[in-house]
Amino acid sequence: MNHIYAIDGIVPVVHETAFVHPTAVLIGDVIIGPGVYIGPLASLRGDFGRIIMKEGSNIQDTCVIHGTPEQDTVVEVDGHIGHGAVLHGCTIGKNVLVGMNAVVMDQADVGADSIIGAMAFVKKGMLIPERSLVAGAPAKIIKTLTDTEIDHKRLGTHMYQRLAQRSLATMEKVTPLRQVEPNRPRLTPDMIYPDYYRP
């Protein structure tokens, strides 16, 4: 069962290569692009304004995405939204990481290749330059990110792009086992990110 709803005749759009967990909720003017991953219990409410998740982006468990009629809420290509984050009427630039339980408010614009630290509060209208590390409540720009730091962020995003593929291919509802089977298989790094794993 999925939780995808139209409102006022506007139906969410989900690309065939995107994965939306069955417990996630999509309402109304929500557009999910190619290769996007939407995690368990995420809520994307396009009942006040448009929400756009662009190619390869991800929204993880329990995130809340909402907005206003005046401005779309946009996560650009390769945007990476950590567990429990809240986005409201803002723009998340290309290859940005929003950390766990962070909040990004209306009209904020986060420049490409930036990182918003866990539990940060990005206030309304804050403009964040590209390659910024932002942390705190209220959020402040801490420094400019190095190429190495940005590359590390990309690896995490690639893992979620791979997870969208794995979920589409292998996730299924099952009855739990009653005991651990002999030689129980384990998840291995090459399964999680085979194109990037180096032993």
Side-chain angles (χ1 to χ4, degrees):
M1 177 180 180
N2 65 40
H3 300 281
I4 299 177
Y5 305 94
I7 191 167
D8 296 322
I10 301 175
V11 178
V13 176
V14 178
H15 191 274
E16 63 184 4
T17 61
F19 175 78
V20 178
H21 191 275
T23 63
V25 177
L26 276 57
I27 300 172
D29 198 1
V30 176
I31 301 170
I32 306 297
V36 170
Y37 174 85
I38 307 294
L41 303 173
S43 174
L44 288 79
R45 283 181 44 214
D47 50 10
F48 284 8
R50 179 167 293 174
I51 296 168
I52 303 170
M53 299 289 304
K54 294 195 178 177
E55 182 174 1
S57 60
N58 69 78
I59 296 287
Q60 298 172 23
D61 316 52
T62 73
C63 289
V64 175
I65 316 295
H66 197 229
T68 68
E70 291 78 24
Q71 179 174 334
D72 295 347
T73 304
V74 181
V75 178
E76 291 285 352
V77 173
D78 293 344
H80 185 104
I81 313 303
H83 314 290
V86 177
L87 307 181
H88 202 279
C90 57
T91 300
I92 305 299
K94 182 177 181 180
N95 195 46
V96 165
L97 167 63
V98 176
M100 292 182 274
N101 290 312
V103 175
V104 185
M105 290 299 294
D106 302 79
Q107 299 166 22
D109 192 331
V110 182
D113 297 319
S114 293
I115 295 176
I116 307 299
M119 300 184 70
F121 180 81
V122 177
K123 67 183 181 179
K124 179 178 180 178
M126 185 173 184
L127 303 179
I128 298 172
E130 293 184 1
R131 301 177 66 101
S132 295
L133 174 62
V134 176
K140 295 180 180 173
I141 297 168
I142 306 299
K143 69 171 193 169
T144 300
L145 293 166
T146 66
D147 289 343
T148 300
E149 289 165 328
I150 294 169
D151 286 343
H152 183 72
K153 181 269 166 198
R154 282 193 182 96
L155 178 59
T157 301
H158 289 313
M159 289 169 61
Y160 272 89
Q161 291 166 345
R162 171 68 178 145
L163 182 56
Q165 297 168 358
R166 291 169 57 212
S167 298
L168 286 170
T170 70
M171 187 178 285
E172 57 183 322
K173 191 169 184 178
V174 296
T175 301
L177 301 174
R178 296 302 181 198
Q179 59 185 13
V180 177
E181 66 270 49
N183 301 312
R184 180 177 174 83
R186 297 183 70 95
L187 295 171
T188 59
D190 59 309
M191 294 166 67
I192 296 168
Y193 39 87
D195 296 336
Y196 304 91
Y197 177 62
R198 299 291 180 270

